[in-house]
Amino acid sequence: MLKKLVAALAITATLTTSLFATSGEKAEAATYHTKAISVAKANIGVPYKWGGMSPSGFDCSGLVKYSFGKAGINLPRTAADMFYTKGYRVGSLQTGDLMFFAPTKASKPSHVAIYVGEGKMIMASSSKGVMITYTSNSYWKPKYIGAKRI
Protein backbone atom coordinates (compact mmCIF):
# COMPACT_ATOMS: atom_id res chain seq x y z
CA MET A 1 0.00 0.00 0.00
CA LEU A 2 2.78 2.41 0.97
CA LYS A 3 4.66 1.60 -2.25
CA LYS A 4 1.57 2.45 -4.31
CA LEU A 5 1.15 5.74 -2.47
CA VAL A 6 4.81 6.68 -3.01
CA ALA A 7 4.57 5.75 -6.69
CA ALA A 8 1.40 7.81 -7.11
CA LEU A 9 3.04 10.82 -5.45
CA ALA A 10 6.13 10.46 -7.67
CA ILE A 11 3.98 10.36 -10.82
CA THR A 12 1.98 13.37 -9.65
CA ALA A 13 5.17 15.34 -8.95
CA THR A 14 6.59 14.45 -12.38
CA LEU A 15 3.41 15.45 -14.21
CA THR A 16 3.14 18.70 -12.26
CA THR A 17 6.77 19.57 -13.09
CA SER A 18 6.15 18.78 -16.77
CA LEU A 19 3.05 20.94 -16.87
CA PHE A 20 4.83 23.91 -15.31
CA ALA A 21 7.81 23.53 -17.65
CA THR A 22 5.49 23.47 -20.65
CA SER A 23 3.60 26.53 -19.40
CA GLY A 24 6.88 28.35 -18.78
CA GLU A 25 8.17 27.51 -22.25
CA LYS A 26 4.93 28.79 -23.80
CA ALA A 27 5.12 31.96 -21.73
CA GLU A 28 8.74 32.47 -22.78
CA ALA A 29 7.85 31.98 -26.46
CA ALA A 30 4.94 34.38 -26.15
CA THR A 31 7.25 36.88 -24.50
CA TYR A 32 9.87 36.93 -27.25
CA HIS A 33 7.27 36.92 -30.01
CA THR A 34 5.52 39.86 -28.32
CA LYS A 35 8.84 41.67 -27.87
CA ALA A 36 9.82 41.14 -31.53
CA ILE A 37 6.47 42.47 -32.71
CA SER A 38 6.77 45.49 -30.40
CA VAL A 39 10.22 46.27 -31.78
CA ALA A 40 8.98 45.94 -35.36
CA LYS A 41 5.95 48.15 -34.63
CA ALA A 42 8.20 50.79 -33.07
CA ASN A 43 9.87 51.02 -36.48
CA ILE A 44 6.72 51.61 -38.56
CA GLY A 45 7.52 54.27 -41.11
CA VAL A 46 11.27 53.57 -41.21
CA PRO A 47 12.25 53.68 -44.89
CA TYR A 48 13.20 50.64 -46.92
CA LYS A 49 16.91 50.17 -47.51
CA TRP A 50 18.32 47.21 -49.47
CA GLY A 51 20.50 45.29 -47.00
CA GLY A 52 19.30 47.53 -44.15
CA MET A 53 19.36 46.06 -40.66
CA SER A 54 18.87 49.09 -38.41
CA PRO A 55 16.33 51.82 -37.66
CA SER A 56 18.05 54.00 -40.26
CA GLY A 57 16.59 51.63 -42.89
CA PHE A 58 15.42 48.01 -43.19
CA ASP A 59 14.89 45.45 -45.84
CA CYS A 60 12.42 42.65 -45.05
CA SER A 61 14.82 40.16 -43.51
CA GLY A 62 16.77 42.93 -41.81
CA LEU A 63 13.62 44.03 -39.96
CA VAL A 64 12.83 40.47 -38.87
CA LYS A 65 16.42 39.73 -37.81
CA TYR A 66 16.66 43.04 -35.93
CA SER A 67 13.28 42.63 -34.19
CA PHE A 68 13.87 39.05 -33.06
CA GLY A 69 17.46 39.94 -32.12
CA LYS A 70 16.18 42.60 -29.72
CA ALA A 71 13.96 39.87 -28.25
CA GLY A 72 16.97 37.61 -27.73
CA ILE A 73 16.57 35.33 -30.75
CA ASN A 74 19.35 35.22 -33.34
CA LEU A 75 18.13 34.62 -36.90
CA PRO A 76 20.04 34.28 -40.16
CA ARG A 77 20.38 37.30 -42.45
CA THR A 78 18.20 36.33 -45.41
CA ALA A 79 14.60 35.23 -45.83
CA ALA A 80 15.77 32.04 -47.57
CA ASP A 81 18.19 31.16 -44.75
CA MET A 82 15.48 31.80 -42.15
CA PHE A 83 13.11 29.55 -44.09
CA TYR A 84 15.56 26.69 -44.59
CA THR A 85 17.36 26.68 -41.22
CA LYS A 86 15.11 27.96 -38.41
CA GLY A 87 11.90 26.97 -36.70
CA TYR A 88 9.33 24.49 -37.89
CA ARG A 89 6.63 24.75 -40.54
CA VAL A 90 3.09 25.50 -39.43
CA GLY A 91 -0.21 25.38 -41.26
CA SER A 92 -2.16 27.66 -38.95
CA LEU A 93 -0.70 31.08 -38.14
CA GLN A 94 -0.08 32.30 -34.60
CA THR A 95 1.12 35.73 -33.54
CA GLY A 96 4.89 35.93 -34.04
CA ASP A 97 5.13 33.35 -36.82
CA LEU A 98 7.34 34.20 -39.79
CA MET A 99 5.54 34.33 -43.12
CA PHE A 100 7.51 33.62 -46.29
CA PHE A 101 6.88 34.73 -49.85
CA ALA A 102 8.42 33.95 -53.24
CA PRO A 103 7.83 35.00 -56.85
CA THR A 104 6.57 31.46 -57.60
CA LYS A 105 5.73 28.45 -55.45
CA ALA A 106 8.82 26.68 -56.84
CA SER A 107 11.34 29.43 -56.08
CA LYS A 108 13.18 30.11 -52.84
CA PRO A 109 11.77 32.66 -50.39
CA SER A 110 12.65 36.24 -51.23
CA HIS A 111 10.47 38.04 -48.66
CA VAL A 112 9.62 37.55 -44.98
CA ALA A 113 7.11 39.20 -42.63
CA ILE A 114 5.97 38.69 -39.03
CA TYR A 115 2.36 37.68 -38.42
CA VAL A 116 0.86 40.10 -35.87
CA GLY A 117 -2.60 38.53 -35.58
CA GLU A 118 -6.05 39.42 -36.86
CA GLY A 119 -5.05 38.66 -40.45
CA LYS A 120 -2.21 41.21 -40.47
CA MET A 121 1.55 41.12 -40.89
CA ILE A 122 4.35 43.62 -40.35
CA MET A 123 7.12 43.91 -42.91
CA ALA A 124 9.56 46.20 -44.65
CA SER A 125 8.07 47.06 -48.02
CA SER A 126 10.28 48.44 -50.78
CA SER A 127 7.56 50.96 -51.62
CA LYS A 128 6.39 52.04 -48.15
CA GLY A 129 9.08 51.03 -45.65
CA VAL A 130 8.07 49.30 -42.43
CA MET A 131 4.31 48.85 -42.45
CA ILE A 132 1.43 46.64 -41.40
CA THR A 133 -0.74 45.12 -44.09
CA TYR A 134 -3.32 42.37 -44.40
CA THR A 135 -2.22 38.82 -45.17
CA SER A 136 -4.99 38.83 -47.78
CA ASN A 137 -3.24 41.70 -49.61
CA SER A 138 -3.74 41.11 -53.35
CA TYR A 139 0.00 41.47 -54.05
CA TRP A 140 1.35 39.23 -51.27
CA LYS A 141 -1.33 36.53 -50.91
CA PRO A 142 -0.50 34.72 -54.19
CA LYS A 143 3.22 34.78 -53.32
CA TYR A 144 2.77 33.18 -49.88
CA ILE A 145 4.68 29.88 -49.65
CA GLY A 146 4.39 29.05 -45.94
CA ALA A 147 5.11 29.96 -42.34
CA LYS A 148 7.59 28.92 -39.69
CA ARG A 149 7.34 29.15 -35.92
CA ILE A 150 10.54 30.09 -34.14
Side-chain angles (χ1 to χ4, degrees), residues 14-133:
T14 302
L15 289 174
T16 302
T17 302
S18 298
L19 288 173
F20 285 125
T22 303
S23 297
E25 289 168 6
K26 287 180 182 177
E28 183 179 317
T31 301
Y32 72 79
H33 287 132
T34 301
K35 172 72 173 170
I37 291 168
S38 293
V39 170
K41 284 182 175 181
N43 287 285
I44 289 176
V46 168
Y48 181 87
K49 179 180 178 186
W50 175 259
M53 294 178 43
S54 73
S56 63
F58 289 108
D59 67 9
C60 66
S61 56
L63 173 68
V64 172
K65 180 175 176 57
Y66 177 83
S67 299
F68 273 84
K70 291 292 185 183
I73 304 297
N74 187 31
L75 293 177
R77 174 62 187 99
T78 68
D81 285 343
M82 288 176 196
F83 184 75
Y84 293 122
T85 66
K86 292 295 182 178
Y88 58 94
R89 291 190 72 129
V90 293
S92 180
L93 291 170
Q94 288 184 9
T95 302
D97 287 346
L98 302 185
M99 300 178 68
F100 294 91
F101 304 85
T104 68
K105 299 285 184 194
S107 55
K108 70 180 185 177
S110 57
H111 185 72
V112 61
I114 305 169
Y115 184 67
V116 297
E118 298 178 358
K120 297 177 185 175
M121 59 185 172
I122 189 164
M123 64 179 183
S125 158
S126 59
S127 61
K128 297 182 180 175
V130 178
M131 61 176 283
I132 293 178
T133 189

